[in-house]
Amino acid sequence: MRPVPVIDPDRDAAWMAQALDLARQAAAAGEAPIGAVLVDDQTQELIATAHNEPIGLHDPSGHAEILALRRAGEKFANYRLAPHLTLYVTLEPCTMCAGAISHARINRLVYGAADPKGGAVENGVRFFEQDTCHWRPHVTSGVLGEDSSTLLRSFFKARR
């Protein structure tokens, strides 16, 4: 059974700020500025971090969420992660990432900016609402969303 998460807005903002720092690192490397932080809800231990790296890794699956989940899987030596983890990510996950979050059995997903074009949580396919989705995380959206949106807009505006 999934644990019901305790939601602390200040703690969420602090973890999302770390994800934003990772997103800035991605931007500095020429990658889309998206960062992810995976945290143990019970201990508040940082489990894994990542930022987007599909260009640098030559890997279309090199999204921040996927890389953080891979690192956690290696740490725990298990593809199903502990049932009390929260994934903080600066942008609404795409369908690929939502699928990985479900397969990893992440308890809670917290994201910053909505993604009307490529998101799959509150936009697009709404992955977690599908009957075929076998694991649905608790979802909180909009945490430091304006900061995340501003970073993304600035990055892509500079590239045009």
Side-chain angles (χ1 to χ4, degrees), residues 62-131:
H63 292 198
E65 302 96 317
I66 300 290
L67 297 174
L69 294 173
R70 283 180 185 160
R71 291 171 185 158
E74 290 170 2
K75 180 175 184 163
F76 293 128
N78 196 334
Y79 73 104
R80 287 193 176 149
L81 303 180
H84 44 78
L85 300 181
T86 295
L87 179 65
Y88 294 87
V89 63
T90 57
L91 182 65
E92 177 182 358
C94 69
T95 305
M96 174 182 68
C97 293
I101 290 163
S102 177
H103 283 282
R105 307 244 165 114
I106 297 300
N107 186 47
R108 184 167 177 242
L109 167 66
V110 179
Y111 67 88
D115 186 357
K117 183 177 178 183
V121 178
E122 70 181 58
N123 292 288
V125 301
R126 297 179 182 239
F127 185 86
F128 302 126
E129 295 177 19
Q130 301 306 311
D131 291 339

Side-chain angles (χ1 to χ4, degrees), residues 20-34 50-58 62 67 151 155 159:
L20 276 164
D21 287 342
L22 291 160
R24 289 182 193 97
Q25 290 175 28
E31 303 275 4
I34 301 163
H51 60 70
N52 260 28
E53 294 188 67
I55 298 167
L57 294 176
H58 311 289
L67 297 174
L151 179 60
F155 176 82
R159 296 180 67 90

